[in-house]
Amino acid sequence: MVPFIGRGIVGDISDSFSIGRSVREIASAYCIGLRNRFGKAEFPLRVVGRRLPGPARAHDALSQMERDVPHAKSDAIALLKEDHRKVEGLFEAFEKARKADRKSALAQEICTELTVHTMIEEEIFYPACKDAVEEDLLNEAYVEHDGAKVLIAEILAGSPDEEFFDAKVKVLSEQIKHHVHEEEKRAEGLFAQARAAGLDVAALGEKLAQRKQALMTEFKKSGLPMPETRSFTGSKLKQGAPLEAARAAE
Ligand SMILES: [Fe+2]
Ligand SMILES: [Fe+2]
């Protein structure tokens, strides 16, 4: 068992290990749990016998942990679900944030996580699911990704002091919630179908983790690129006047 020491929760973590969950999956669930329970409370955390430097907010602690903890091998589905939990935590943090700079940083992190996640799914996981998963479900997943990319591009180009910024982040979170449900739904979800079809989730997990790491490094160095669509064909929208101006002109 990997020693994972968090104040007052050693028992829970031991139980989680005994059912074979990965270090990162547990770390993710643990941090989200703490943040939900204590809101913005700060807490000291030790991982693998090391104390994280100073008190940290839950999601900061998770990022730190991801750098510190040698990655336990996780299968493709565990890795993708872990990404889902992380981004859910970031959306919750955004909703509670009040200061513009905090909102801006969280929005940037949400866009980065989602960009990398959609890329590794589209490049590696979804192609492997072809013939293993219902075609309609897979096609809808590509379209849902592209829908999210439109909002990601809007958010990246915007700032928290703009009128619709918060609404764009909120709608993105709702779209992602629906999409994650379609992927994780028991029995007929995309992941369940992939597992049932006997996909080599261990080998795919390694590929996803490597690609994710490479993309994170690249984006850290050269910034986040404009999202690339897979199903949307780039139809140009006509931009109307803002609602108030349109009403005034009537
Ligand atoms: Fe996903
Ligand atoms: Fe997806």
Side-chain angles (χ1 to χ4, degrees), residues 84 117 121 179 183 191:
H84 293 168
H117 184 82
E121 282 188 338
H179 178 70
E183 289 187 334
F191 293 168

Side-chain angles (χ1 to χ4, degrees), residues 74-201:
S74 59
D75 75 33
I77 292 169
L79 183 146
L80 294 171
K81 280 185 174 177
E82 201 179 297
D83 280 359
H84 293 168
R85 301 294 84 80
K86 182 169 184 183
V87 91
E88 281 166 8
L90 290 168
F91 276 125
E92 281 176 28
F94 184 91
E95 242 179 75
K96 288 182 190 146
R98 291 290 165 262
K99 290 185 176 162
D101 56 350
R102 172 102 178 119
K103 282 187 184 186
S104 182
L106 284 165
Q108 182 73 29
E109 199 177 349
I110 287 168
C111 291
T112 304
E113 289 292 332
L114 288 176
T115 300
V116 171
H117 184 82
T118 52
M119 284 178 79
I120 62 173
E121 282 188 338
E122 290 168 10
E123 289 178 10
I124 299 162
F125 190 71
Y126 287 0
C129 287
K130 199 170 158 44
D131 301 327
V133 166
E134 284 165 30
E135 193 183 7
D136 288 355
L137 190 62
L138 204 52
N139 285 345
E140 286 163 26
Y142 283 113
V143 173
E144 285 167 3
H145 277 197
D146 281 359
K149 289 169 200 170
V150 174
L151 280 172
I152 290 170
E154 286 281 324
I155 291 163
L156 287 173
S159 69
D161 49 0
E162 287 172 13
E163 192 184 359
F164 292 109
F165 189 82
D166 286 5
K168 286 171 185 171
V169 176
K170 177 71 182 176
V171 173
L172 178 62
S173 80
E174 288 163 348
Q175 287 187 0
I176 295 299
K177 194 174 179 182
H178 167 82
H179 178 70
V180 162
H181 180 66
E182 294 288 306
E183 289 187 334
E184 295 191 9
K185 212 165 22 176
R186 284 179 104 182
E188 75 263 41
L190 201 147
F191 293 168
Q193 289 187 28
R195 209 186 273 285
L199 235 62
D200 186 349
V201 287

